[in-house]
Amino acid sequence: LILINSHEAHEVYAKEKNAGKYFVIKFSPGILRFDGQPSEETKYLLPLIRNDISALRKLSEQEIKSYSINSIIKNIEDEWNLYSSASPFALRGFVLSLFSRIVRVWEDRCVDSIFSNSDETTKTIYSAAEYCSKNFANITEREISEKFGMSYSYFARTFKKIMKKSFTDYITDLRIDFSRNLLLTTNLSITEVAQDAGFSTASHFISVFKKKTGLSPLAYKKKLFGKI
């Protein structure tokens, strides 16, 4: 089992014809975030974004068997083929269950020290990222750097180094994830969704949303619900 980060170049090929089959389980990283997610959970997302611990992204056949990961993948396959109105909830549950098994593999490899022995600067950046996950709609990089006692330029440089993305990209991803949820669960107008997610104008929101998802917010909602 191999974990591949979003936008990460990769290739899959078989050495022999009829060598078997493989499953691709593709999901938004937002599915792993919880409301008010504490840093204790945030740290376990690091192997998905840090290249220096990329060895953790590969699970052996024995580990897959030992943690019954195959059964979860089979559940995902069955639910996908069955697909009903309840399936999105079931599939999200299976993905979370899958990730919990992966974290247990990491724990048994005794890699917790990789996450827990961070220096103070790294811990501060994690805390800032956690704070942003709760306050992304009304926060600027300068405000967050001041709140956590860093100069603006040092915070920007350090945040990108540790989180593997700029502060702007991090906040934008949070806002887009939030706006997707609003489009899915409310009848708010596009302008209202833009405001609630922290975008300055509806036009800016539409532009960013389309760049991130390939669809305009309205097209995204139509794809989910059909004609609206």
Side-chain angles (χ1 to χ4, degrees):
L1 185 150
I2 299 174
L3 298 169
I4 301 171
N5 198 16
S6 58
H7 307 298
E8 188 171 55
H10 60 281
E11 181 180 19
V12 178
Y13 65 93
K15 292 182 179 179
E16 303 174 9
K17 287 186 177 181
N18 303 317
K21 61 181 178 179
Y22 66 91
F23 294 93
V24 178
I25 303 171
K26 182 179 179 181
F27 58 90
S28 166
I31 204 172
L32 301 177
R33 284 200 287 269
F34 302 91
D35 291 337
Q37 181 185 33
S39 56
E40 183 66 21
E41 292 163 349
T42 303
K43 69 182 182 181
Y44 287 113
L45 301 181
L46 292 178
L48 303 182
I49 58 176
R50 283 179 52 183
N51 292 328
D52 54 330
I53 48 179
S54 58
L56 298 185
R57 296 207 224 163
K58 181 178 179 181
L59 276 66
S60 70
E61 183 178 359
Q62 183 56 49
E63 287 171 329
I64 291 170
K65 289 180 179 178
S66 297
Y67 290 84
S68 302
I69 289 174
N70 273 338
S71 65
I72 300 177
I73 294 175
K74 184 65 167 59
N75 287 337
I76 292 173
E77 180 190 17
D78 290 345
E79 188 64 42
W80 183 262
N81 291 331
L82 170 68
Y83 213 87
S84 69
S85 57
S87 293
F89 301 101
L91 289 169
R92 184 177 189 275
F94 289 141
V95 169
L96 291 173
S97 180
L98 175 62
F99 196 75
S100 72
R101 304 291 176 91
I102 292 170
V103 171
R104 288 197 171 105
V105 171
W106 293 341
E107 288 175 334
D108 279 359
R109 288 186 188 178
C110 300
V111 298
D112 191 60
S113 59
I114 292 175
F115 306 107
S116 60
N117 292 337
S118 302
D119 59 39
E120 289 304 315
T121 300
T122 301
K123 289 177 181 178
T124 299
I125 293 298
Y126 292 163
S127 295
E130 180 189 355
Y131 181 84
C132 289
S133 71
K134 304 173 187 176
N135 302 277
F136 56 83
N138 298 292
I139 196 71
T140 66
E141 189 166 14
R142 192 169 297 279
E143 288 171 343
I144 200 74
S145 64
E146 291 176 357
K147 179 175 180 63
F148 286 87
M150 295 183 178
S151 70
Y152 173 76
S153 59
Y154 180 69
F155 175 81
R157 185 169 65 251
T158 307
F159 190 96
K160 186 172 184 179
K161 178 181 178 182
I162 292 173
M163 300 302 294
K164 304 304 179 186
K165 63 172 65 177
S166 68
F167 178 84
T168 299
D169 285 343
Y170 182 77
I171 290 294
T172 298
D173 287 345
L174 290 173
R175 289 173 175 171
I176 291 299
D177 281 346
F178 182 70
S179 67
R180 285 183 197 229
N181 288 334
L182 291 180
L183 290 169
L184 176 64
T185 61
T186 74
N187 290 317
L188 294 175
S189 68
I190 300 302
T191 298
E192 290 171 325
V193 170
Q195 291 174 341
D196 288 354
F199 290 93
S200 56
T201 64
S203 59
H204 181 227
F205 165 59
I206 293 169
S207 175
V208 174
F209 192 95
K210 189 170 184 179
K211 182 178 179 181
K212 289 287 185 179
T213 68
L215 296 169
S216 70
L218 186 59
Y220 178 81
K221 195 164 186 175
K222 284 182 177 179
K223 183 179 179 181
L224 289 173
F225 300 109
K227 283 190 175 184
I228 55 175

